[in-house]
Amino acid sequence: MADVLVVEDDDTIGSVLEAGLRANGFRVQRERTGRAALQVAGLGGVDLVLLDLGLPDMDGVDVCRELRSSLPSVVIVILTARTDEMDVLAGLESGADDYLAKPFSIVEVLARVRAHLRRSAASHADGEASTSMDFGALTVDIAARRALIAGTEVLLRAREFDLLARLVRDAGMAVSREALMSDVWDEHWFGSTKTLDVHMVALRRKLSAAARTSGPDAVDHMPQIVTLRGHGYRLDAIGE
Ligand code: CA
């Protein structure tokens, strides 16, 4: 459930927004001044702010700027009664994502709010997927080249990490020895694949030792690297 902060000093508009959003499954908090809004937003947990620009105590544009600098990922939609394009521009330049010009219908507000929250959820999910992935007790952060078990880093050598990262990339699927050799070592590898087995043994040993150190819960939720005889390996995620 998303949390929406409505900042509006006009009680008619404020209560329509509050009731409409609440009836559609949003958690809503309503504030009438810029200062109160900044205070509430500062406590955290707000996903989207509907911000009236004409507030009694502060210029809405300044409120918007402060919100944006303290909460980079919050969605801000400004509400303006003023049809002056300069106000809309000032609001957008101060960090708002979008604006709604009064008078607006609650249907229009809901559509806009939902669209923004979907987009923002998708971009957060992308950000996480591209840097770190969880497989039970194991977290692999490809970008940072770190492997963690129950939050504690496992020190892996470069090739060991590359092997793990390659299995993680196709987690749950069989990865052939040829694919591992060419992706982790060299695409023109003609030598023995013994080196793959040696690194795999070391990788498994380090992961299971780290899990044992972290405790029985980590051991129970460790993904297994399964050997597929005559083919390769597969990372089975357990405990997800
Ligand atoms: Ca107002």
Side-chain angles (χ1 to χ4, degrees):
M1 196 196 289
D3 285 87
V4 177
L5 172 61
V6 175
V7 190
E8 172 62 83
D9 59 311
D10 181 310
D11 280 328
T12 308
I13 298 172
S15 45
V16 166
L17 287 173
E18 205 176 345
L21 287 161
R22 208 163 268 154
N24 283 275
F26 294 96
R27 264 193 303 261
V28 187
Q29 180 152 4
R30 155 109 187 275
E31 294 300 336
R32 290 172 176 78
T33 65
R35 263 179 206 93
L38 290 172
Q39 208 165 11
V40 166
L43 299 174
V46 174
D47 301 298
L48 184 143
V49 183
L50 288 177
L51 175 66
D52 177 33
L53 284 188
L55 295 169
D57 64 330
M58 288 176 76
D59 188 333
V61 170
D62 294 330
V63 177
C64 183
R65 192 174 295 117
E66 285 193 35
L67 280 173
R68 176 53 70 224
S69 72
S70 58
L71 302 165
S73 63
V74 78
V75 177
I76 305 172
V77 178
I78 52 176
L79 309 175
T80 174
R82 297 171 279 187
T83 47
D84 189 346
E85 283 184 357
M86 292 309 286
D87 286 333
V88 171
L89 275 181
L92 294 176
E93 276 168 12
S94 66
D97 299 282
D98 197 2
Y99 72 96
L100 282 162
K102 296 176 191 174
F104 41 69
S105 70
I106 191 68
V107 174
E108 194 183 350
V109 173
L110 286 166
R112 209 72 74 82
V113 163
R114 288 196 181 109
H116 278 291
L117 290 173
R118 255 198 314 273
R119 195 174 311 148
S120 123
S123 77
H124 291 163
D126 283 354
E128 278 164 27
S130 65
T131 58
S132 110
M133 284 170 278
D134 288 330
F135 301 90
L138 173 71
T139 301
V140 179
D141 189 334
I142 304 286
R145 292 185 62 84
R146 296 175 80 199
L148 301 101
I149 288 175
T152 305
E153 185 157 11
V154 187
L155 295 175
L156 298 175
R157 292 166 62 199
R159 294 289 195 212
E160 293 161 358
F161 184 86
D162 291 341
L163 256 186
L164 179 62
R166 182 61 187 81
L167 291 172
V168 156
R169 201 174 97 197
D170 286 336
M173 293 191 271
V175 183
S176 69
R177 294 177 65 85
E178 289 75 7
L180 286 168
M181 288 308 302
S182 68
D183 292 347
V184 175
W185 277 270
D186 180 58
E187 56 178 324
H188 304 296
W189 182 272
F190 296 112
S192 156
T193 59
K194 181 85 186 140
T195 185
L196 169 60
D197 300 304
V198 171
H199 282 81
M200 194 60 86
V201 166
L203 174 62
R204 280 171 161 158
R205 190 186 295 139
K206 286 183 182 179
L207 291 178
S208 59
R212 279 195 305 276
T213 307
S214 292
D217 205 42
V219 173
D220 288 344
H221 294 93
M222 269 305 288
Q224 302 300 308
I225 297 172
V226 179
T227 304
L228 305 168
R229 299 240 169 265
H231 182 77
Y233 298 90
R234 184 184 67 224
L235 181 76
D236 274 354
I238 291 172
E240 281 194 296

